[in-house]
Amino acid sequence: MRHAPELLLPAGSLAKMHAAFDYGADAVYAGQPRYSLRVRNNDFSSLQALQEGIDGAHARGKQFFVASNIFAHNAKLKTYLRDMEPVIAMRPDALIMADPGLIMMVRDKWPEIPVHLSVQANAVNWADVKFWHRMGLTRVILSRELSLDEIEEIRQRCPEMELEVFVHGALCIAYSGRCLLSGYFNHRDPNQGTCTNSCRWDYKVKNASEDASGDLGAMQVIPLQFEQALEQANSFSALHQQPRHPLADQPYLIEEAQRPGQLLPILEDEHGTYIMNSKDLRAVEHIERLVKIGVDSLKVEGRTKSLYYAARTAQVYRQAIDDAVAGRPFDISLLGQLQGLANRGYTDGFYQRHHTQTHQNYMRGASEADRSQYVGDVLSVENGWARVDVKNRFAVGDRIEVMHPSGNRDIAITRILNDAGEDIGVAPGSGHFVRIALDGALDRALLARYL
């Protein structure tokens, strides 16, 4: 039997935390909105909710890590230790941190609290890991830009440090998440927790050298004016003094689908433009190798994802870890189960070098589910009928997967009743409650419709 790594899941809410634990997670991480990189869709904005989460995890024999991983400006330094005092008193199992200054302040004031180095600090070599061990940290979350071979070398050279890696979730196109695109377009700083995922928007490109008195003149250009963008392009051309394509030196404007009439300027330099759309990370097929290497924690990204996402990823990666530890071969059906989650296409990132398939997805920015769709939560089961909180449409005749910690099963929908007990052919979608035939103790089961 090999050593089993920790399975670490995101918790954007108490419900997601409990779903993660129900389906096999060993620990969860959540963020303080003011000091973490997830401000939106975060139910742990109050100390009361955070205390409930930490206590709930400990009551189940699980761990709860608090992300405090922004790169703080001076204004937040003034309040940081004061705001952290009640959080430390709750006894989280570790803080996840990136800013060396904040780490120093926490280590000085609370040397007993374990600190994990955030992926935002982009540790990419064994000397980096040894440095943070010398600073008193107990775990390093390695950069996503590392290969399996590089991780293995770090493990061999740093046996004294816990190592954590990401195995599933959205990937940022910027190096270790250090993106400025959202801040440039929307004044929403990704490194302060307010990223708007500008890289995933749907854009149309317009030529900014058209007559500004024409159609472009009636549109709002933000945050740069036309003249400023043109001046930048001319300065770039003069600086490099090299033959370039005649269209490469002029500015272009892009229009985002949800904000017609607002034009955002972009420029291209010798490296190209930087608006890209990464596929999502899926490394379940590499769990066996990561277990053999001796990685201590395998992490899933997605604090803003659904409860169904938390349950499905926990269930799939729990099986992959258990199989790897027991020496069983990889179950290829796990790939299909993850394909059913909303995703932008999958890649295994940098774990293997020189892939032949593309790593970027230039065709679509929105998530799609290719195998199944989350359609409802089972609230209760009485006398063979389950009351369902509908999340997406399903109908009589559909084949449904019932997900439950006790095991999954497939059923066919033969009848759907509304709350008045009347037969209806379709559960219309979110906001509706219906009943379906279902036997067994399956409270809190999740339903997914096969596509």
Side-chain angles (χ1 to χ4, degrees):
M1 297 287 287
R2 304 185 182 106
H3 167 70
E6 166 191 275
L7 177 57
L8 178 57
L9 266 288
S13 68
L14 289 168
K16 294 174 191 176
M17 178 191 82
H18 286 296
F21 290 149
D22 287 345
Y23 287 88
D26 301 299
V28 296
Y29 61 101
Q32 295 172 275
R34 180 167 167 78
Y35 299 111
S36 80
L37 297 186
R38 280 294 178 267
V39 170
R40 59 192 175 93
N41 299 341
N42 188 337
D43 284 0
F44 294 102
S45 56
S46 70
L47 291 176
Q48 179 181 352
L50 196 60
Q51 181 74 75
E52 190 174 347
I54 294 171
D55 290 346
H58 291 169
R60 300 185 64 163
K62 308 288 188 175
Q63 292 190 300
F64 191 108
F65 306 140
V66 173
S68 185
N69 56 344
I70 63 164
F71 286 94
H73 291 216
N74 288 334
K76 288 187 176 178
L77 290 181
K78 297 175 182 177
T79 59
Y80 184 71
L81 291 180
R82 180 198 69 198
D83 290 348
M84 288 302 297
E85 194 145 13
V87 176
I88 299 298
M90 295 176 192
R91 304 184 67 81
D93 295 283
L95 299 181
I96 301 172
M97 305 184 69
D99 188 308
L102 294 184
I103 291 172
M104 176 188 69
M105 293 166 68
V106 166
R107 296 288 303 138
D108 286 348
K109 187 170 179 62
W110 299 291
E112 73 283 358
I113 187 76
V115 175
H116 297 174
L117 186 72
S118 169
V119 71
Q120 291 294 117
N122 73 288
V124 295
N125 60 67
W126 57 264
D128 202 350
V129 174
K130 286 188 176 293
F131 168 82
W132 288 110
H133 182 261
R134 190 172 295 179
M135 295 299 104
L137 274 64
T138 58
R139 179 184 295 185
V140 167
I141 305 168
L142 294 175
S143 170
R144 292 183 178 96
E145 289 78 25
L146 293 176
S147 69
L148 290 166
D149 290 341
E150 289 173 309
I151 294 170
E152 184 169 24
E153 182 177 1
I154 292 172
R155 172 75 292 164
Q156 291 171 350
R157 289 179 175 268
C158 305
E160 69 281 1
M161 178 65 90
E162 290 185 10
L163 300 180
E164 179 180 308
V165 299
F166 279 87
V167 292
H168 196 91
L171 287 172
C172 182
I173 55 88
Y175 195 73
S176 287
R178 295 182 176 184
C179 178
L180 298 177
L181 200 59
S182 175
Y184 176 63
F185 285 160
N186 302 292
H187 306 293
R188 297 274 296 275
D189 187 352
N191 299 304
Q192 297 295 307
T194 54
C195 180
T196 57
N197 298 110
S198 303
C199 59
R200 301 194 187 278
W201 295 349
D202 179 16
Y203 294 103
K204 292 181 176 63
V205 179
K206 298 179 182 291
N207 189 338
S209 62
E210 295 178 19
D211 184 3
S213 64
D215 290 341
L216 292 180
M219 295 183 172
Q220 179 186 8
V221 180
I222 56 175
L224 299 178
Q225 297 300 318
F226 171 83
E227 294 81 3
Q228 292 174 296
L230 186 61
E231 181 180 348
Q232 285 189 19
N234 291 336
S235 299
F236 179 87
S237 178
L239 176 65
H240 286 270
Q241 298 180 351
Q242 56 190 25
R244 288 168 53 80
H245 191 282
L247 297 180
D249 292 332
Q250 66 185 36
Y252 291 86
L253 303 173
I254 55 176
E255 181 182 18
E256 201 273 317
Q258 301 302 316
R259 295 187 290 175
Q262 294 185 353
L263 300 186
L264 308 166
I266 58 171
L267 294 172
E268 179 176 291
D269 65 14
E270 72 273 22
H271 301 296
T273 56
Y274 304 100
I275 298 170
M276 306 179 193
N277 182 32
S278 175
K279 292 182 177 180
D280 290 346
L281 175 65
R282 182 195 63 194
V284 67
E285 64 268 39
H286 297 305
I287 296 302
E288 182 179 10
R289 175 79 187 278
L290 291 167
V291 168
K292 287 180 179 178
I293 287 171
V295 171
D296 298 282
S297 180
L298 304 179
K299 186 172 194 172
V300 173
E301 183 277 340
R303 276 175 282 168
T304 63
K305 300 288 182 68
S306 68
L307 184 147
Y308 175 64
Y309 175 93
R312 178 68 80 180
T313 53
Q315 187 179 63
V316 167
Y317 281 91
R318 178 78 273 153
Q319 181 182 333
I321 291 171
D322 292 346
D323 286 348
V325 170
R328 293 187 291 267
F330 173 64
D331 182 352
I332 197 169
S333 71
L334 298 180
L335 296 173
Q337 293 182 41
L338 292 172
Q339 197 65 33
L341 292 172
N343 66 85
R344 297 174 177 88
Y346 282 127
T347 174
D348 61 353
F350 293 89
Y351 281 127
Q352 294 185 102
R353 301 297 194 192
H354 310 301
H355 275 302
T356 55
Q357 70 265 32
T358 178
H359 282 219
Q360 302 296 348
N361 177 5
Y362 298 104
M363 302 305 294
R364 57 184 167 91
S367 295
E368 294 181 3
D370 300 319
R371 178 178 179 270
S372 61
Q373 182 182 41
Y374 173 39
V375 294
D377 296 341
V378 174
L379 302 179
S380 61
V381 181
E382 295 181 9
N383 300 320
W385 287 90
R387 189 164 190 262
V388 177
D389 180 0
V390 181
K391 301 300 181 182
N392 285 292
R393 181 187 184 277
F394 65 95
V396 170
D398 285 343
R399 194 163 64 94
I400 300 290
E401 181 183 21
V402 181
M403 284 183 60
H404 194 264
S406 63
N408 297 359
R409 68 173 75 170
D410 291 348
I411 63 170
I413 299 295
T414 57
R415 293 182 70 189
I416 301 176
L417 307 180
N418 62 19
D419 273 346
E422 301 165 333
D423 276 284
I424 55 176
V426 174
S430 181
H432 293 267
F433 295 87
V434 301
R435 297 182 187 275
I436 63 172
L438 189 63
D439 289 322
L442 296 172
D443 291 5
R444 302 204 323 272
L446 305 177
L447 305 180
R449 177 175 66 91
Y450 287 105
L451 300 179

